[in-house]
Amino acid sequence: MKVRTRFAPSPTGYLHIGGARTALFSWLYARKHGGDFVLRIEDTDLERSNIESVNAILEGMNWLGLDYDAGPFYQTQRFDRYREVIQQLLDEDKAYYCYCSKEALETMREEQLARKENPRYDGRCRAHAEAKTDAQPVVRFKNPQDGAVLVDDMVRGRVVFQNTQLDDLIIARSDGSPTYNLSVVVDDWDMGITHVIRGDDHLNNTPRQINILKALGVEPPRYAHLPMILGPDGTKLSKRHGAVSVMQFRDEGYLPQALLNYLVRLGWSHGDQEIFSLDELIELFDIKDVNHSASAINPEKLLWLNQHYIKTLEADHVARQLSWHMGQIGVDPSAAPPLRDVVLAQRERAKTLAEMAQNSRYFYEEFAEYDEKAAQKNLQADAVPVLTALQEDFAALDESNWHAEPLHEIIMAVAERFELKLGKVAQPLRVAMTGSTVSPPMDQTLALLGKNRVLARIQRALEKIAKSA
Ligand code: GLU
């Protein structure tokens, strides 16, 4: 049997980290078992679904690299098929029309609550529905009235539901549209889904779905319900905990590799290993190792992982992502130096790509102004002879030798000539080059800036000193 998993988001908002984790686990399971991963858009709630959310979900999955083998299928395009199955259940006497009015249902509910019973539909239309010509009936599924449903959950183990606790759920609304449980069942069946991996907020739907599948004579898939993701304070995850949309993590400068690694650890572990490449994950991932209890997000850990991947991934790969961030802050990164070289110079000191982009601006455009404190401390009259000497020696260095090593030698030689510590030479030079006191090692910074920019910026610094003298 070929494994087929699916991710079935409702397009009512962006792709949040809970959804992305569900998608990742389903994707990993399919990839591990040589199976297919299906994307299905559950857009039957016409009021809450919208195309922007569909796009946000597709964009998020694409950015994370969660590629699908089939789909996206849209439930709104499958209404005929749902109607067909609803009709089949009616024809086989496995479903029935229910004409109960809202008021009748409300009274039923109140009476049950008064008797301290769980509110549920009592099945009064099951045997003798009175067809009312002026009312559009709903269709209810005839849930078995006794026995139990065993959900052999791959995460939680065996969970038993008594049929007496489940009522005859509505499978078609009065306008004929299918409800969630019906459309999911038909899709999981038609799409040949073998493993349903989803959030445990759906666990209560599972016995209902199993009952409908059985009524249709279909072998239910295996189910795995993933524990919730909580905020760092242990409460329900919400916007107040910071970024929850996958794309917002991109905007804040996270690498998809870091987010994937982070997501997988929200509920899954392999010993105490923290860092996993995607290939490793595919090899090691097993649904059986998913925790039973909820996991809390941990923003510091994500930051740590991000830094790890910034430092260790192929520089070209990081550069491609950084390029997008440069564009976001209005810098055209094609105006030399190659972004790859900037990544190599900067990667030890940036936790996010957004930060790296900001800190790399001066390689591509003039910085607007000097950091006041840095200039005050380092660009004073005593720096003039040092900067002038550097300017002359740099000017004399041939473009073809404009590399870190000869540049380093020039700085050393100037320091020696003036009998100064290296820092006394490098720091004014750094402020002249970057406007601040933070940059990669000076020789690398100079090499990346290129001869013209270096000479022009020394000149700019000298003029600033002259002006403020
Ligand atoms: N569309 C449902 C949701 O977004 C998921 C349904 C399922 O996985 O069965 O919560």
Side-chain angles (χ1 to χ4, degrees), residues 6 8-10 40 42 180 184 196 198 201-202 209:
R6 74 339 185 248
S10 304
R40 178 166 87 220
E42 305 210 324
Y180 158 73
V184 163
V196 169
R198 60 186 174 194
D201 48 331
H202 285 289
Q209 294 177 10

Side-chain angles (χ1 to χ4, degrees), residues 27 31 37 61 65-69:
W27 182 89
R31 293 290 168 265
F37 173 60
M61 292 185 65
L66 301 177
D67 53 333
Y68 34 92
D69 308 288

Side-chain angles (χ1 to χ4, degrees), residues 346-372:
Q346 294 279 44
R347 65 180 176 183
E348 290 296 327
R349 60 183 61 70
K351 288 193 168 125
T352 70
L353 294 179
E355 184 189 334
M356 192 189 279
Q358 279 299 352
N359 293 344
S360 303
R361 264 195 124 104
Y362 56 74
F363 287 121
Y364 297 92
E365 57 182 33
E366 271 317 303
F367 53 88
E369 48 200 38
Y370 295 91
D371 173 76
E372 216 173 295

Side-chain angles (χ1 to χ4, degrees), residues 276-310:
F276 299 90
S277 72
L278 218 46
D279 287 335
E280 241 178 326
L281 279 181
I282 292 171
E283 189 192 320
L284 298 173
F285 183 77
D286 195 332
I287 277 281
K288 286 198 226 51
D289 297 328
V290 172
N291 303 335
H292 295 200
S293 49
S295 28
I297 59 160
N298 180 348
E300 279 94 62
K301 187 152 150 199
L302 174 59
L303 208 53
W304 175 77
L305 282 167
N306 202 45
Q307 203 168 13
H308 167 81
Y309 283 103
I310 287 176

Side-chain angles (χ1 to χ4, degrees), residues 176-314:
S177 64
T179 57
Y180 158 73
N181 279 300
L182 187 279
S183 48
V184 163
V185 157
V186 177
D187 285 351
D188 286 340
W189 173 24
D190 285 357
M191 295 169 194
I193 302 303
T194 58
H195 296 78
V196 169
I197 300 169
R198 60 186 174 194
D200 68 3
D201 48 331
H202 285 289
L203 181 63
N204 285 332
N205 289 317
T206 304
R208 299 174 180 281
Q209 294 177 10
I210 289 178
N211 279 337
I212 302 176
L213 284 163
K214 286 195 170 149
L216 290 163
V218 180
E219 180 67 29
R222 293 295 310 273
Y223 293 89
H225 290 92
L226 308 174
M228 298 237 300
I229 299 179
L230 303 174
D233 52 0
T235 61
K236 193 169 181 294
L237 188 60
S238 74
K239 280 197 190 133
R240 125 190 101 80
H241 294 118
V244 281
S245 148
V246 163
M247 297 320 287
Q248 199 180 331
F249 285 104
R250 176 200 57 183
D251 297 352
E252 291 181 5
Y254 292 92
L255 282 162
Q257 286 77 4
L259 192 59
L260 286 171
N261 194 148
Y262 174 69
L263 286 174
V264 85
R265 291 284 291 106
L266 289 174
W268 177 81
S269 53
H270 181 75
D272 46 21
Q273 188 172 340
E274 287 291 354
I275 308 252
F276 299 90
S277 72
L278 218 46
D279 287 335
E280 241 178 326
L281 279 181
I282 292 171
E283 189 192 320
L284 298 173
F285 183 77
D286 195 332
I287 277 281
K288 286 198 226 51
D289 297 328
V290 172
N291 303 335
H292 295 200
S293 49
S295 28
I297 59 160
N298 180 348
E300 279 94 62
K301 187 152 150 199
L302 174 59
L303 208 53
W304 175 77
L305 282 167
N306 202 45
Q307 203 168 13
H308 167 81
Y309 283 103
I310 287 176
K311 276 197 265 194
T312 55
L313 280 178
E314 276 286 315

Side-chain angles (χ1 to χ4, degrees), residues 408-433:
H408 182 72
E409 275 162 25
I410 290 176
I411 299 170
M412 296 285 282
V414 169
E416 225 166 279
R417 212 182 311 152
F418 286 87
E419 293 180 4
L420 288 170
K421 280 198 200 144
L422 197 57
K424 285 279 173 205
V425 176
Q427 209 59 343
L429 183 58
R430 176 168 283 119
V431 179
M433 292 303 114

